[in-house]
Amino acid sequence: MAGAAALRRSVRRIVRPLATATALSRTLQQPERLLSSQASPEHGPRGAVSGSELGLYTPELIRNFSIIAHVDHGKSTLADRLLELTGTIQKGHGQPQYLDKLQVERERGITVKAQTATMFYRHTSASHGPDTPRYLLNLIDTPGHVDFSYEVSRSLAACQGALLVVDAAQGVQAQTIANFYLAFESNLSIIPVINKIDQPTADPDNVKDQLKRLFDIDPSEALLTSAKTGKGLEQVLPAVIERIPSPPGKCDSPVRMLLLDSYFDEYKGVICHVAVVDGALHKGDKIASAATGHTYEVQDVGIMHPELTPTGVLYTGQVGYVISGMRSTKEACIGDTLHQAKITVEPLPGFKPAKHMVFSGLYPADGSDFEALSHAIEKLTCNDASVSLTKETSTALGMGFRYQIFACELVFYIVFTTICGFLGLLHMDVFHQRLEQEYGAQVISTIPTVPYIFEYGDGSKVQVENPAALASNPGKRVVGCWEPTVIATIIIPSEYVGPVIMLCSERRGEQLEYTFIDAQRALLKYRLPLKEIIVDFYNELKGITSGYATFDYEDSE
């Protein structure tokens, strides 16, 4: 008996340290679990949020805003700091660029998928006296480039304001201009934030002059910050609360929601990010899609705080997620209106179907691997509704796919081609990279093409994406042909104006605007055929300007 008791004591001594080690291991793997008890108490602890708590936040206590900026001006770092200031995440825990979930986003420093994060913040001001209300702040992180023009516009439609971040050293650049006008056209309250003031070459006064000259923004409204060091960040959230209006909406109306983005989860299906415009959404409700007419039952609903946090309900003006049993992201159309089933409501404005602009063939390096490639692409496109696939056969390469990329997606990757030296091919490079990294697929792609529209003598028209698809018919005479064009914005040092004008002329460009931002930099606007810029235009532009040019474009239609 004594031996048995000694053995039990020995086992307990071994098991307890193992249990402790296991718990510690789990905590280290999921550091965000620590935040509930360690978040700043003045801003409210991070943790479970009930539906009754959300009900306390009327639209007057809600602010929905976005952060827009040119690439590498500090948008993701500023978002990290705001999450830390509100206790949503703990400083030093988790990955940098917290809202950039995809590996490709972190590797290339870009934002591909829209993300949302709900923060709770107690705002103290003289007008409130001892009663300091808590606000619910929804940060809607949009793709980093305005050439996701439709996706960005739908995300901004859920906001009432935006932080326009400008690098204190680099100043206003091409995407800064495009982002500003997109926010301005959405009638958002814009708060200028001059970031990276800690840099040795920072010149905030010059940036203020640029904002005044280009956008007529009062220099006194600009906030001076350094997201890296934390300097000046204490004034950002109070500015959001005081300068951005609360969301409009009717609390007693049937529910209407704007679908911001979606992604596929192997266990939960399609998870949709939504903004509730009218009414309230509860778990178990029946909802319908205005775009497809399909009806779903709400299986789960909650907020991103910063990960999926079930609440059972979302109220007017709030932003969160919905799981409704959708099987594919193709059913979740960005910009769609989700509403209460069996009730007729007016769809929210702005929705439009996707427009395919660039086409390219994709083939397995080994012809016998077609089925494996098909399976890999099918799984990868579950999270990328911007790519549609059709099978085709090449006499040289065998059976493969022809994938069609939305214009907004392609342009986004073009702007960042300086990272790997490809222009127009970077989107395919990213697509290939994910196929290789995640599924071990080896692929060959054809040169991308753009769609052309041909008109025949009898008045009929046909759109052609693949030159081989244009049939030779002696009975029909082609009388017209149209190709897609874009409006390009180029910002360059003034000494490179001549070579850039020559480059644009060689690419069949039509000059629309030529102005000087300041004594050192010029702004050029051109109408260019899309075909002329999808392969090597950006490389040449960077080459002749010694890497100083910034380039941005949008569909001229």
Side-chain angles (χ1 to χ4, degrees):
M1 294 294 292
L7 179 61
R8 285 195 295 270
R9 285 195 297 271
S10 176
V11 169
R12 282 197 294 270
R13 283 196 296 269
I14 295 172
V15 169
R16 285 175 181 171
L18 285 176
T20 305
T22 302
L24 179 60
S25 174
R26 289 173 179 169
T27 302
L28 291 174
Q29 291 172 7
Q30 296 179 315
E32 65 272 13
R33 296 183 182 275
L34 288 168
L35 306 182
S36 178
S37 61
Q38 297 181 7
S40 173
E42 64 196 80
H43 301 316
R46 178 197 172 278
V49 180
S50 66
S52 58
E53 288 180 81
L54 281 187
L56 301 176
Y57 295 93
T58 60
E60 292 75 21
L61 296 176
I62 298 174
R63 298 293 185 271
N64 299 327
F65 68 101
S66 179
I67 304 177
I68 53 179
H70 186 87
V71 61
D72 201 32
H73 279 207
K75 177 172 77 78
S76 296
T77 306
L78 178 60
D80 285 353
R81 298 293 87 78
L82 296 183
L83 292 173
E84 292 171 0
L85 278 173
T86 55
T88 309
I89 63 175
Q90 186 179 9
K91 186 174 181 179
H93 287 266
Q95 64 186 20
Q97 302 174 339
Y98 191 88
L99 295 180
D100 291 339
K101 305 294 185 184
L102 299 178
Q103 180 181 350
V104 68
E105 291 178 315
R106 296 191 295 272
E107 286 181 355
R108 298 180 182 271
I110 57 179
T111 300
V112 176
K113 299 287 287 182
Q115 299 288 342
T116 65
T118 298
M119 304 175 286
F120 298 94
Y121 181 76
R122 192 176 297 280
H123 177 49
T124 56
S125 67
S127 59
H128 294 134
D131 235 358
T132 56
R134 292 182 72 208
Y135 287 82
L136 188 154
L137 309 178
N138 291 307
L139 169 59
I140 302 174
D141 187 32
T142 65
H145 192 274
V146 74
D147 289 322
F148 276 92
S149 56
Y150 178 61
E151 284 83 347
V152 175
S153 69
R154 294 304 85 211
S155 294
L156 294 182
C159 302
Q160 287 71 52
L163 301 179
L164 179 67
V165 179
V166 185
D167 191 307
Q170 300 181 42
V172 173
Q173 294 188 300
Q175 294 169 37
T176 311
I177 296 174
N179 278 311
F180 170 82
Y181 284 110
L182 199 58
F184 183 77
E185 290 165 5
S186 300
N187 199 29
L188 301 187
S189 298
I190 299 174
I191 302 175
V193 177
I194 301 177
N195 194 29
K196 301 187 180 183
I197 59 173
D198 58 305
Q199 291 188 348
T201 56
D203 190 355
D205 292 334
N206 183 44
V207 177
K208 288 181 180 179
D209 292 341
Q210 294 175 12
L211 293 173
K212 174 65 177 177
R213 189 181 304 110
L214 292 172
F215 310 134
D216 196 28
I217 292 178
D218 188 345
S220 64
E221 296 180 357
L223 307 179
L224 303 182
T225 67
S226 169
K228 181 179 178 180
T229 65
K231 184 177 181 180
L233 293 182
E234 70 281 352
Q235 56 187 329
V236 175
L237 291 179
V240 167
I241 293 171
E242 294 167 6
R243 300 192 202 177
I244 294 178
S246 57
K250 301 176 182 177
C251 300
D252 54 353
S253 296
V255 65
R256 282 196 308 168
M257 299 174 289
L258 176 65
L259 200 160
L260 304 177
D261 208 339
S262 64
Y263 65 94
F264 183 81
D265 183 273
E266 290 186 1
Y267 303 101
K268 299 180 180 179
V270 177
I271 299 176
C272 300
H273 293 283
V274 298
V276 180
V277 177
D278 296 319
L281 178 72
H282 297 80
K283 182 178 180 179
D285 285 354
K286 298 280 189 178
I287 59 173
S289 162
T292 65
H294 295 166
T295 302
Y296 308 94
E297 180 178 345
V298 177
Q299 301 173 358
D300 191 17
V301 60
I303 59 176
M304 303 297 292
H305 185 53
E307 303 300 331
L308 299 176
T309 304
T311 60
V313 63
L314 283 176
Y315 295 99
T316 302
Q318 297 178 358
V319 177
Y321 72 90
V322 174
I323 300 175
S324 58
M326 292 184 183
R327 297 182 179 180
S328 168
T329 53
K330 304 291 184 186
E331 300 179 54
C333 305
I334 297 176
D336 188 12
T337 300
L338 301 178
H339 60 88
Q340 185 174 337
K342 298 182 180 180
I343 291 183
T344 302
V345 299
E346 182 181 354
L348 297 168
F351 174 74
K352 58 184 179 182
K355 183 179 181 182
H356 297 109
M357 291 295 291
V358 176
F359 303 80
S360 179
L362 190 63
Y363 299 87
D366 186 338
S368 62
D369 292 337
F370 177 78
E371 290 302 326
L373 177 62
S374 174
H375 179 69
I377 292 177
E378 182 181 353
K379 295 193 70 174
L380 186 55
T381 52
C382 281
N383 278 313
D384 193 353
S386 65
V387 179
S388 65
L389 302 167
T390 55
K391 294 181 181 180
E392 72 170 16
T393 300
S394 165
T395 55
L397 299 174
M399 185 174 289
F401 292 90
R402 189 164 189 82
Y403 63 95
Q404 306 160 4
I405 308 170
F406 296 174
C408 55
E409 290 274 343
L410 178 74
V411 175
F412 175 82
Y413 289 112
I414 284 176
V415 173
F416 296 98
T417 50
T418 51
I419 297 174
C420 62
F422 295 94
L423 177 73
L425 303 177
L426 184 55
H427 191 181
M428 288 184 290
D429 181 46
V430 170
F431 201 76
H432 297 171
Q433 179 181 336
R434 294 192 66 187
L435 284 173
E436 293 173 2
Q437 289 180 344
E438 299 174 23
Y439 304 100
Q442 299 295 322
V443 296
I444 299 172
S445 63
T446 61
I447 295 176
T449 60
V450 299
Y452 287 80
I453 296 177
F454 292 90
E455 181 179 2
Y456 294 103
D458 60 0
S460 62
K461 295 181 180 179
V462 60
Q463 178 171 306
V464 177
E465 297 90 17
N466 188 344
L470 183 61
S472 177
N473 190 342
K476 284 189 174 183
R477 184 170 62 90
V478 176
V479 297
C481 176
W482 290 268
E483 64 177 337
T485 59
V486 297
I487 304 297
T489 301
I490 304 170
I491 295 181
I492 51 173
S494 53
E495 62 264 29
Y496 298 109
V497 167
V500 171
I501 289 178
M502 185 177 299
L503 172 64
C504 293
S505 299
E506 291 172 354
R507 298 302 181 100
R508 299 185 287 142
E510 174 192 353
Q511 189 178 105
L512 303 177
E513 185 178 341
Y514 173 23
T515 57
F516 284 92
I517 296 178
D518 51 36
Q520 289 82 34
R521 294 192 301 163
L523 182 150
L524 298 174
K525 279 197 174 183
Y526 272 85
R527 178 179 283 109
L528 289 161
L530 179 59
K531 174 182 179 296
E532 297 289 347
I533 63 175
I534 64 172
V535 178
D536 61 351
F537 179 82
Y538 193 53
N539 273 351
E540 288 200 30
L541 179 64
K542 281 290 187 180
I544 64 176
T545 61
S546 302
Y548 287 110
T550 60
F551 174 65
D552 174 45
Y553 67 86
E554 59 187 339
D555 189 352
S556 63
E557 297 178 6

